[in-house]
Amino acid sequence: MKYAHIVGWGSVLPDKVLTNDDLAELVDTSDEWIFRRTGIRQRHIAGPKETTTTLAFEAAARALVVAGIPPSQIEMIIVATSTQEHIFPSTASRVQDFLGATKAGAFDLGAACSGFVYALSMAAQAIATESVRNAIVIGAETMSRVLDWEDRGTCILFGDGAGAVVLQGSSIPGGVMASTLRSDGSGGEMLSLPAVYQNPVPMLGKESLHSRHKKNTITMNGRQVFRFATKVLSESVEDVLEKAGLSIDDVSLIVPHQANVRIIESAAKRLKISPDKFYMNLETASNTSAASIPIALCDAIKSNRLHPDDNVVFVGFGGGLTWGATVVKWDVTPPEISPLDRELKRARYIVARGRSRLKQIGRNIGARLGGSFAPDATLKDAEKGRKVK
Ligand code: UT7
């Protein structure tokens, strides 16, 4: 049995910032309304060349530098996201390729805003059962691409970004201590993002278009989600602490999904603790769905809010409905990394891209030269064989 310790972390937010005042030019809202009702002042928006994959890669690369582990030693990559560019290839597989993590399995995990907590729990269990030693868990989103920019009830809430942690197995007790994961599919309609399986099957015509949704943008019943969130946030913190055999007084910091300051404050009231025990960065980062917890974690570390031996709770909630929490015994001090070391480590990703490109070229040349491996070529060969007979 191994303990999964967090040994590296990294996050990235796109440079482009959209303020509440900017939004007030798009929809009927105001900085005053948004800030008072949510605590959000601005959000980051991905540029044309940024995607969920590039953000996920950047966060993972930064986390690996902190961990001091080469990508070749990573055996599992999980990307929690609702905004993958492709159903397949997965975002995680593309990140695996960009990193040159040649010994890693990779998959995306869909649990909406709870995705990071779910993914952390999955990776920690893979480490605990010793099926992998090192894993990267990433939360990455480009929410701006799935928002209805005419819906003031949703477009004011979300932003883009990515955060990642590196987990390493060790026989020293600590790291991820307990998790609780829950779902209630009966509330699925409260917060939803349809997929785009809209192609009609030719022989069935229009009948094969099952989806009632016209657009693949987020829809949300804000009030209902608000009520659900305040309830499950406090409940899952209590639940996970009970599993870990800890009390709320043993917890130094709670890093919640960054949805709304009012949700967090009302959960604090239910738990009878000060809201200061919750780390919040949504004023500047907004709600980045599955990315919000790891981004907030990185900011909390930068702000010196975590120290060795602290117990920290991550708690997420969102579409599905899904919710969950994890308790982590924090046991690392941020290492000193020189800018030169950082740059040298990054050079390996240029090599990884070169290797990947060469593999693709090699595959294409192979397909042209050794045509008999292609299915249609095999068929032609077989037909030729029949004629000869
Ligand atoms: O990460 C996924 C989880 N998502 C969440 O956690 C979101 C949970 N829900 C919320 O955070 C809040 O429900 C919102 C911030 C979305 C909305 O705040 P609210 O206090 O629940 O507002 P409301 O929906 O009850 O609307 C109050 C009023 C309405 O006007 P009337 O009917 O009272 O005249 C809305 O039309 O505010 C109006 N309104 C707005 N006004 C200005 C709704 N959105 C806006 C807006 N700007 N952006």
Side-chain angles (χ1 to χ4, degrees), residues 28-30 33-34 37-38 113 152-153 156-158 191 220 222-223 225-226 229 257 259-260 262-263 287 317-318:
D28 182 13
T29 190
S30 65
W33 192 96
I34 300 174
R37 301 276 180 141
T38 68
C113 304
R152 67 178 183 172
I156 56 146
L157 296 173
F158 297 97
L191 179 55
M220 181 178 74
R223 283 183 203 185
V225 174
F226 192 100
H257 169 47
N260 187 323
R262 290 190 295 136
I263 292 176
N287 177 349
F317 52 87

Side-chain angles (χ1 to χ4, degrees), residues 16-27 29 41 43:
K16 167 97 184 127
V17 166
L18 194 71
T19 64
N20 291 348
D21 286 331
D22 295 332
L23 265 178
E25 289 179 21
L26 291 176
V27 286
T29 190
R41 283 264 188 228
R43 68 282 301 134

Side-chain angles (χ1 to χ4, degrees), residues 122-235:
M122 294 299 108
Q125 285 171 51
I127 287 173
T129 55
E130 298 191 46
S131 72
V132 306
R133 172 134 201 268
N134 299 312
I136 305 180
V137 177
I138 307 167
E141 304 282 11
T142 43
M143 299 303 287
S144 61
R145 297 191 174 137
V146 294
L147 289 175
D148 178 349
W149 289 100
E150 291 174 356
D151 175 14
R152 67 178 183 172
T154 51
C155 76
I156 56 146
L157 296 173
F158 297 97
D160 302 337
V165 296
V166 177
L167 287 178
Q168 183 166 58
S170 157
S171 47
I172 300 167
V176 177
M177 304 299 285
S179 296
T180 174
L181 306 178
R182 299 287 304 279
S183 173
D184 176 5
S186 72
E189 292 284 310
M190 277 157 56
L191 179 55
S192 110
L193 173 59
V196 279
Y197 310 121
Q198 300 274 349
N199 291 335
V201 181
M203 54 284 228
L204 295 176
K206 277 195 182 151
E207 283 167 37
S208 65
L209 285 172
H210 296 295
S211 179
R212 285 176 284 123
H213 302 284
K214 295 205 173 59
K215 298 198 248 181
N216 74 328
T217 50
I218 287 183
T219 54
M220 181 178 74
N221 183 325
R223 283 183 203 185
Q224 282 185 12
V225 174
F226 192 100
R227 238 174 280 132
F228 146 77
T230 50
K231 183 170 176 289
V232 298
L233 205 165
S234 50
E235 278 177 8

